[in-house]
Amino acid sequence: IHYDYKIALACVDAGVDKIRINPGNIGASDRIKAVARACALHGVPIRIGVNGGSLESAVLAKYGRPCAEALAESALYHAALLEQQDFDDIIISIKSSDVKTMIDANRILAEKCAYPLHLGVTEAGGAHMGTLKNAAGIGALLAEGMGDTIRISLTADPCQEVIEGKNLLKALGLWQRPYVNL
């Protein structure tokens, strides 16, 4: 959900299981408070999504570019906004199209907070290159014991994302269900 907090409230009222927001672009603190309260009331977790395109101007000015440190700082800032509303059912997602930046940002974040991490490489590309970039980034972190959920993001058939995600988990020995051929 971007920019219009009323959409987030409508989604919660409609019974969604989880919402993804960037508190920095939802708006004023009263809007963040309304979303946090609605989610708390309905038991809906909030996934904070941060990527290079969503960094605040002050963070960009401080670091000069969307680097790992900037992404981690922004994510922690957004978590603090929700924590100020006594909301802590938070999942954090830091994504970058640069694999090393994604890995480094998630490592920084894992050292600084205990929130579950959603891993992925944004704008990864088509089926071949996108799978490679996601496998490198997500695979490295999963092999280190980081990450709670993943998304293989491809500019291809969405079913391919699921197949490649299962293949990655299987390759790492993390697939615990019988393998299903899709």
Side-chain angles (χ1 to χ4, degrees):
I1 309 295
H2 287 286
Y3 305 107
D4 191 344
Y5 79 105
K6 292 177 186 175
I7 296 171
L9 296 175
C11 289
V12 171
D13 286 341
V16 298
D17 293 321
K18 177 172 44 174
I19 63 169
R20 181 233 187 246
I21 65 168
N22 182 325
N25 66 25
I26 287 291
S29 62
D30 62 323
R31 294 175 178 187
I32 295 167
K33 183 177 186 176
V35 172
R37 284 194 174 172
C39 287
L41 180 66
H42 291 89
V44 175
I46 295 175
R47 177 164 62 98
I48 296 169
V50 175
N51 60 46
S54 69
L55 290 175
E56 303 79 17
S57 56
V59 173
L60 276 175
K62 177 179 177 180
Y63 292 98
R65 60 188 174 83
C67 61
E69 295 79 9
L71 293 167
E73 183 175 311
S74 178
L76 292 169
Y77 167 72
H78 294 315
L81 292 176
L82 293 173
E83 290 166 349
Q84 290 170 5
Q85 304 304 323
D86 295 320
F87 187 87
D88 65 358
D89 194 0
I90 298 169
I91 299 95
I92 300 179
S93 175
I94 295 180
K95 294 184 179 181
S96 174
S97 58
D98 179 78
V99 174
K100 185 164 177 9
T101 299
M102 175 270 199
I103 292 170
D104 291 345
N106 279 283
R107 284 178 177 155
I108 293 167
L109 192 59
E111 289 179 13
K112 295 188 175 193
C113 76
Y115 288 121
L117 302 178
H118 172 79
L119 305 178
V121 176
T122 192
E123 299 174 2
H128 180 70
M129 183 54 79
T131 297
L132 290 173
K133 288 175 76 173
N134 277 283
I138 296 170
L141 293 170
L142 289 175
E144 294 176 20
M146 284 182 250
D148 299 278
T149 59
I150 66 169
R151 177 177 178 210
I152 304 292
S153 181
L154 304 173
T155 53
D157 181 349
C159 292
Q160 191 70 32
E161 294 182 355
V162 175
I163 292 166
E164 297 304 341
K166 287 182 180 181
N167 287 338
L168 175 59
L169 294 174
K170 186 177 177 189
L172 290 166
L174 298 173
W175 184 254
Q176 297 181 5
R177 295 184 191 170
Y179 185 72
V180 177
N181 246 345
L182 297 175

